[in-house]
Amino acid sequence: MIIKSKIKLTFIACVFTAMFYLILSLPGAAFGADDAAGAYQRYQYDYEQLKKAVESGVGSDVVEKLARKYSDSLNAYKKAAGGAETPPNESSAPAAAAGAAADASGESASQAAASQDPDSLIAGLRWKAQTALLPAGKAEARIELAMALLLHKNDAAGASKLLNEAISLLRTAAVADGAAKLLEKISKLQKAIKLRTELSVKYAAMQQKKKAADAVSWLALPLKAARKAQYYAASISYRKTLAEYCAALEGKNIISAFLSPGENPERLAAPAKIVFILLDGVRQDVFQKLLDEGKLPNIKKIADNGVYIRNGVSVLPSTTGPAYAPFVMGLGPAKSKLSGIRLFDRVTGTYRVYCGTDNAKINDDAAKEFPTIYELLSDKSTLTVFGMVDRGVAKSGVPWIQVAYNKLTKDYNKMDSSLVDRFLKEMSNGIPVFSFISLHSPDSNGHSYGANCEYCQAIIFEDSLVGRIVDHIEASGERGRVSFVISSDHGLASTTRSFDVDAALAEDLKMNAYHSIPRNTIDFNLFKSRFKNDIITAVSGNACVLVYVKKPGASTFADRPSEAELRSYPDRLRKNRVDLIAYFASQPGIRHVLYRGNAGQYFAETSNGKALIKRNAGGFSYSVVSGADPFGYASSPNAAALTDGAFHTADEWLAATGPLDYPDAPNLIADLLDSNCGGDIVLLAAPDYEPWNEGQKGVHGNLSYDQIKVPIIFSGPAFKTGAVIESARTVDVFPTMLRALGREIPAAIDGKIIPGALKY
């Protein structure tokens, strides 16, 4: 009898299953799909079948089939009805189906949330909560919906209401064990809601303490220290509550939506230390060649496990010092107020040589309205060795006597070894939150010998020093907490010829020009009245010359001359007038002459062509106004498409020109010419020329690819692994590092976070 009963039950089950699938496969004609009424009947039927399948928890493959049928019948109904209004529940059913499919595949609520549109997810969960049949199913749906409301809508009140409803439903649940598990989930979520309120209060208190500390001048050091201590205590309290909050929600990922700006929990949980290694004077193409040849094994290991930028673009002029500001301030010359390693402030009449007597003044001159990364991390440990632009750093050190001796003897590798020795010594008691070291052997060898084998060997030697730094950090036990950033400030090009700008002005135009080749400005700055100059020149990297012209008839340089005045400038004897722009453009040692037009207009001129650049809030326009294109953009289809005189964004210009010989020229030219200390005319040297007379074998400072393209590498816990990005600017490194450190990014800087570099 028992066996017969089992056979009978099995037979009934088989018949029922066959009928179920037969009904699912009924042709549309059975419902009269040829007219609107039939289509609506089919649509309603498919909707009910999908609804039942979702509620019964069948496999995801069945749900997918039913969802497709539902979608097809819905479209057929719309077509037959001639665009009639969509019936209710249309948007929510597919969302519920997708949610059910996620459940069937084993995804958690947070995983499903990450892969699905929030509004669709919430609509689907709401529909599921409304249509679930059993008390336990209704309660579970409400718990899922409460989680989604917390995650995506920051709706604590709505979530609390749903959890109370779930508790009431579970009192009538038949399965005690299942109800107990759901009640445990509810308890955690209720705790999370309570902690969230505390989190908001503590975050506000932490920010208030931070503002109070920042408002106190460093002159009142004891008070500032006390305020910093209060901020630190508030920060610890906030993060402790945050950790409890994460635990209550069973994971960090799902809470990012309702934290305050800048406080992404993944970012707070990530290791927050960065070591920045700047290889001064390393050009991208030579670096890439050595990397491909396997001659930089330590750097390659870092690059392969991180993010590699194919075309890193520095600032103009591409020179030591001012080109450090993008990395630690996120600024180009106009905003950093550092328009060259030599510059003239026409307002104060002060001449600066940051590679000479004014080295220590670069931090005073850098824009104080924008903080350095050291100032932003004033509550943390920071370190620089040969940082140059390092205002606000906690600890810095350079073995100056050793460096000076090695410079004199041209033992540049030994010089860099001593810098690394000092760097590692300063880190002997722990790795600071942000550390910066610049190594100079490639730049020094390049200036002395050109971009030849000594230059390449210097880069290879730097790789061994990078290996020493990595080994030290691994030995400290903190390697898992440290991210590396490796880059350069500029490249380098070999030269064999020179064109002395000052001598040419004196001989050809009978003009008196002041320069600072001796790297000493003390006499000029102390006795300005003795210097009767028509023109002041300032060279950067020895391939870029800033030319400051006294307005005709003026006694000082305070007022800028107009383009018309530059085109008809009186010589020293006031007997003749000369077109300064045309004169410079005609010289064989000068490739590009840059100058301003009207407001928002800039020109690039060569001996056989001229281009107009315009700038507005949306970007840049570029058009060739006579002769040949000064930058040859017509040779590239992507770049040529932007030379139509219409405005295109800075990102579009970088993407199109990043791989070319003159990357990002419109942006870089406008930024330099907008600088108060940027010169009235900017001269960029022709290939193989030094527009000066120092007799250097290698130069930089120019717009050409060999001088302005640099490597950029990010690697470590905060950054993606194995990612390659086509182009980025060095000003973008600063905000990208700040995001990795979990810090707020200052407003109005030039840089922005590099897309695709960070893990979160």
Side-chain angles (χ1 to χ4, degrees), residues 372-394:
T372 67
I373 193 168
Y374 310 105
E375 290 170 319
L376 292 171
L377 295 171
S378 60
D379 59 326
K380 301 293 183 182
S381 56
T382 54
L383 167 68
T384 65
V385 170
F386 223 130
M388 207 161 183
V389 183
D390 57 6
R391 189 177 65 214
V393 70

Side-chain angles (χ1 to χ4, degrees), residues 510-542:
K510 306 297 186 269
M511 292 184 179
N512 186 17
Y514 175 84
H515 62 77
S516 63
I517 288 180
R519 307 191 181 208
N520 178 2
T521 61
I522 295 174
D523 57 343
F524 181 90
N525 290 331
L526 285 178
F527 308 106
K528 297 183 180 70
S529 60
R530 290 197 299 109
F531 293 87
K532 306 299 182 182
N533 305 109
D534 305 298
I535 291 175
I536 291 176
T537 58
V539 69
S540 282
N542 286 38

Side-chain angles (χ1 to χ4, degrees), residues 355-488:
C355 56
T357 53
D358 304 309
N359 177 271
K361 296 176 181 176
I362 192 168
N363 283 313
D364 294 330
D365 295 343
K368 293 182 175 61
E369 59 268 33
F370 292 97
T372 67
I373 193 168
Y374 310 105
E375 290 170 319
L376 292 171
L377 295 171
S378 60
D379 59 326
K380 301 293 183 182
S381 56
T382 54
L383 167 68
T384 65
V385 170
F386 223 130
M388 207 161 183
V389 183
D390 57 6
R391 189 177 65 214
V393 70
K395 186 186 295 185
S396 65
V398 177
W400 285 114
I401 296 176
Q402 181 74 37
V403 168
Y405 177 76
N406 294 143
K407 278 271 190 181
L408 186 65
T409 59
K410 293 190 175 182
D411 194 347
Y412 304 124
N413 287 352
K414 193 168 184 179
M415 174 184 70
D416 279 357
S417 292
S418 70
L419 293 175
V420 171
D421 289 343
R422 182 62 175 269
F423 191 59
L424 300 183
K425 180 181 178 181
E426 296 292 351
M427 292 198 296
S428 59
N429 293 323
I431 312 300
V433 169
F434 181 78
S435 308
F436 181 105
I437 182 173
S438 63
L439 304 175
H440 297 262
S441 184
D443 181 66
S444 298
N445 274 285
H447 282 298
S448 297
Y449 309 112
N452 57 9
C453 57
E454 284 89 352
Y455 176 72
C456 293
Q457 287 301 317
I459 298 174
I460 293 170
F461 180 76
E462 304 294 50
D463 179 78
S464 68
L465 297 183
V466 170
R468 282 186 59 197
I469 294 171
V470 173
D471 289 345
H472 176 88
I473 292 172
E474 287 182 345
S476 73
E478 294 197 64
R479 179 65 182 92
R481 304 188 61 209
V482 175
S483 292
F484 287 96
V485 180
I486 300 176
S487 190
S488 182

Side-chain angles (χ1 to χ4, degrees), residues 8 13 178 209 313 332 426 437 465 565 615 663 727:
K8 186 181 293 184
K209 299 290 185 186
V313 181
E426 296 292 351
I437 182 173
L465 297 183
E565 289 169 327
R615 182 182 202 171
S727 300

Side-chain angles (χ1 to χ4, degrees), residues 205-217 223-224 226-228 230-231:
M206 182 179 70
Q207 292 296 87
Q208 186 178 11
K209 299 290 185 186
K210 183 178 185 299
K211 289 180 180 178
D214 292 342
V216 179
S217 169
L223 178 59
K224 191 170 186 71
R227 294 281 172 83
K228 284 287 183 183
Q230 292 173 356
Y231 163 66

Side-chain angles (χ1 to χ4, degrees), residues 666-680:
N667 173 52
L668 296 174
I669 291 170
D671 193 62
L672 176 58
L673 291 177
D674 277 344
S675 172
N676 289 333
C677 301
D680 303 301

